[in-house]
């Protein structure tokens, strides 16, 4: 067997393996969200996650991939493997959004928006950052370094979520006058399972984005990227736990896990560029940002049941800027420009699309439907039929 053939086969296997790890993030998001919502809304949350994966992936296959990358070409590995790897990313932008609007969003309007996200919005963001770059040479041309998508994926999903919350509003009874009604998670074991599945999936998310493992240099780079990814998650969890204990004398597992996820989002932009110590700082800031951002969003009555704005939007921005701060060869101005341009595009286009869809089919379920539960109204299947739906 020729050496070039062996490298091609090895890189194809590597791409398919890391793609599979990313797909594990689908049940990761599903379990995390199912555990954080009330029992009367679990079937709806699970249905939404399955539909997002199916609809976004097919939209990307039929339209989005060509729009993002310009052609179906590959050199280092099979194009089919490359497509599957990129396809694994696309649903995550809507997964980020779906958790933040859970317990009051209707499934069909969200599925329609998923088509637009998978076919047009996300591919256009990819086009100007990783792909064909239709705005090359113009004032809007960006030179942002974002290995696996702190901005391209996480902030894009976060901006879409912010637009959706502004249109859909908060859950029934979440904010009463100036008081915040606490709605506890229904199943903490599922939250832990979901968060750890996401954590494992991140190794494929970031490690696979290196693109090749068929040389000693690339193998070491993949290993360093995965190590740095894990380090940021560890430090994010620890710092979130420390801050929660200092403030409340309690160790909130949901906040600790979101701190870990915040650290993972933050390091996603540049884990291949950092030394082994920088991710500790990047992840620690990420974990701290989650703890402080959650109450700020609540103060503005931006109802986010899973903390997705704090984890993905805030830390997507921080992680992208951090590369410009800590990596000498990367321009902070270029990083900031990329964050601003993609943020303006993702938010404005998402808002317009959501607004138009909402005119034809309401995204927000009625107060009565929310009271009974989305499982009965949207799915006809209760996840926990032996329990009476919680009011």
């Amino acid at each position: 067997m020729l050496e070039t053939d062996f490298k091609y086969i090895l890189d194809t296997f590597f791409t398919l393996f890391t793609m599979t790890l990313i797909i594990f993030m689908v049940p990761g998001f599903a379990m995390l969200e199912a555990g954080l919502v009330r029992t009367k809304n679990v079937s709806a949350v699970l249905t939404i996650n399955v539909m997002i994966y199916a609809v976004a992936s097919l939209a990307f296959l039929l339209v989005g991939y060509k729009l993002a990358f310009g052609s179906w070409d590959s050199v280092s590995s099979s194009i089919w493997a490359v497509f599957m790897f990129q396809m694994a990313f696309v649903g995550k932008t809507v997964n980020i959004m779906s958790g933040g609007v859970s317990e009051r969003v209707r499934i069909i309007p969200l599925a329609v928006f998923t088509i637009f996200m998978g076919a047009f919005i996300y591919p256009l963001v990819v086009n100007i950052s990783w792909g064909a770059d239709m705005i090359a040479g113009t004032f809007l041309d960006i030179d942002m370094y974002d290995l696996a998508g702190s901005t391209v994926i996480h902030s894009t999903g976060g901006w879409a979520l912010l637009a959706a919350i502004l249109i859909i509003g908060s859950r029934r009874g979440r904010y009463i006058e100036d008081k915040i009604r606490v709605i506890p998670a229904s199943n903490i074991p599922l939250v832990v399972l979901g968060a750890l599945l996401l954590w494992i999936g991140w190794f494929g998310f970031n490690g696979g984005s290196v693109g090749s493992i068929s040389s000693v240099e690339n193998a070491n780079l993949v290993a360093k990227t995965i190590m740095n990814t894990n380090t940021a998650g560890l430090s994010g969890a620890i710092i979130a736990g420390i801050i929660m204990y200092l403030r409340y004398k309690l160790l909130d597992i949901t906040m600790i896990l979101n701190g870990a996820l915040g650290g993972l989002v933050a390091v996603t932009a540049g884990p291949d560029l950092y030394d082994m110590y920088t991710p500790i700082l990047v992840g620690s800031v990420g974990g701290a940002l989650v703890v402080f951002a959650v109450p700020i969003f609540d103060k503005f009555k931006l109802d986010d049941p899973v903390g997705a704005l704090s984890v993905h939007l805030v830390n997507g921005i921080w992680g992208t800027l951090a590369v410009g701060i800590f990596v000498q060869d990367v321009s902070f101005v270029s990083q900031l420009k990329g964050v601003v341009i993609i943020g303006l595009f993702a938010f404005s286009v998402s808002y317009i699309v959501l607004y138009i869809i909402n005119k034809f089919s309401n995204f927000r379920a009625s107060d009565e439907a929310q009271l009974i539960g989305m499982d009965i109204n949207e799915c006809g299947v209760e996840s926990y039929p032996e329990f009476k739906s919680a009011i």
Side-chain angles (χ1 to χ4, degrees):
M1 182 183 296
L2 296 175
E3 182 180 356
T4 54
D5 291 340
F6 175 77
K7 288 185 175 181
Y8 184 90
I9 293 169
L10 183 59
D11 282 340
T12 295
F13 176 79
F14 169 67
T15 303
L16 291 173
F17 175 72
T18 53
M19 175 274 297
T20 303
L21 288 179
I22 300 171
I23 298 301
F24 268 109
M25 299 176 87
V26 176
F29 274 109
M31 294 301 99
L32 179 74
E33 294 170 19
L36 286 171
V37 302
R38 288 165 286 184
T39 55
K40 63 182 179 179
N41 299 313
V42 171
S43 289
V45 162
L46 298 176
T47 302
I48 286 170
N49 275 272
V50 173
M51 289 300 295
I52 285 171
Y53 176 54
V55 173
S57 298
L58 193 57
F60 194 66
L61 169 69
L62 296 175
V63 179
Y65 184 85
K66 183 71 177 295
L67 181 59
F69 296 102
S71 65
W72 287 74
D73 295 320
S74 177
V75 177
S76 63
S77 63
S78 168
I79 183 57
W80 316 121
V82 171
F83 166 75
M84 288 296 293
F85 181 81
Q86 294 297 334
M87 185 207 75
F89 277 169
V90 64
K92 304 304 164 287
T93 53
V94 195
N95 279 130
I96 291 165
M97 175 185 166
S98 67
V101 293
S102 58
E103 299 206 287
R104 79 276 201 193
V105 70
R106 295 177 59 239
I107 295 173
I108 291 179
L110 184 58
V112 174
F113 177 75
T114 301
I115 296 173
F116 283 91
M117 179 61 83
F120 302 106
I121 301 174
Y122 171 74
L124 285 171
V125 171
V126 171
N127 182 286
I128 64 175
S129 51
W130 296 338
D133 199 355
M134 62 176 60
I135 62 171
T138 69
F139 172 75
L140 296 176
D141 194 7
I142 60 176
D143 186 26
M144 175 185 68
Y145 191 88
D146 190 5
L147 175 70
S150 284
T151 285
V152 175
I153 294 173
H154 295 282
S155 284
T156 295
W159 287 117
L161 170 58
L162 180 59
I165 291 176
L166 292 175
I167 290 173
I168 298 171
S170 61
R171 287 169 289 177
R172 171 190 172 276
R174 172 62 170 162
Y175 304 110
I176 303 173
E177 296 178 350
D178 292 329
K179 295 182 179 179
I180 301 170
R181 177 191 169 206
V182 176
I183 302 176
S186 65
N187 193 322
I188 295 299
L190 281 185
V191 177
V192 175
L193 174 63
L196 292 179
L197 282 173
L198 289 172
W199 197 329
I200 293 169
W202 238 288
F203 300 152
F205 206 88
N206 291 358
S209 294
V210 173
S212 173
I213 201 172
S214 59
S215 68
V216 173
E217 181 182 15
N218 284 344
N220 281 327
L221 186 58
V222 169
K224 184 181 83 165
T225 297
I226 293 174
M227 183 189 73
N228 285 343
T229 298
N230 190 59
T231 298
L234 299 174
S235 57
I238 292 170
I239 289 299
I242 290 172
I243 295 173
M244 290 299 294
Y245 191 78
L246 291 175
R247 294 182 71 182
Y248 307 108
K249 300 302 181 192
L250 296 169
L251 292 171
D252 182 345
I253 184 60
T254 63
M255 193 62 77
I256 291 171
L257 291 169
N258 267 347
L261 297 178
L264 290 164
V265 170
V267 80
T268 292
D272 57 325
L273 301 181
Y274 296 140
D275 59 32
M276 64 185 293
Y277 303 108
T278 302
I280 299 175
L281 179 57
V282 173
S284 295
V285 173
L289 285 172
V290 170
V291 176
F292 293 120
V294 167
I296 291 174
F297 286 120
D298 265 333
K299 183 178 180 180
F300 288 98
K301 296 184 178 181
L302 296 171
D303 185 14
D304 178 3
V306 302
L309 287 174
S310 304
V311 171
H312 299 279
L313 176 56
V314 172
N315 274 296
I317 294 171
W318 155 241
T320 306
L321 297 180
V323 179
I325 296 171
F326 296 114
V327 179
Q328 185 175 2
D329 296 334
V330 176
S331 165
F332 179 82
V333 174
S334 295
Q335 297 299 99
L336 178 61
K337 182 180 178 182
V339 166
V340 171
I341 290 176
I342 290 178
L344 289 173
F345 172 80
F347 175 79
S348 59
V349 175
S350 295
Y351 189 93
I352 292 169
V353 173
L354 287 163
Y355 182 85
I356 293 172
I357 295 172
N358 192 54
K359 287 295 184 181
F360 292 93
S361 180
N362 288 335
F363 270 92
R364 179 184 173 86
S366 67
D367 284 352
E368 181 182 359
Q370 293 182 55
L371 182 64
I372 296 171
M374 304 304 294
D375 288 0
I376 293 175
N377 280 277
E378 291 285 307
C379 304
V381 177
E382 294 182 87
S383 286
Y384 305 100
E386 66 273 26
F387 299 124
K388 183 179 179 181
S389 295
I391 301 301

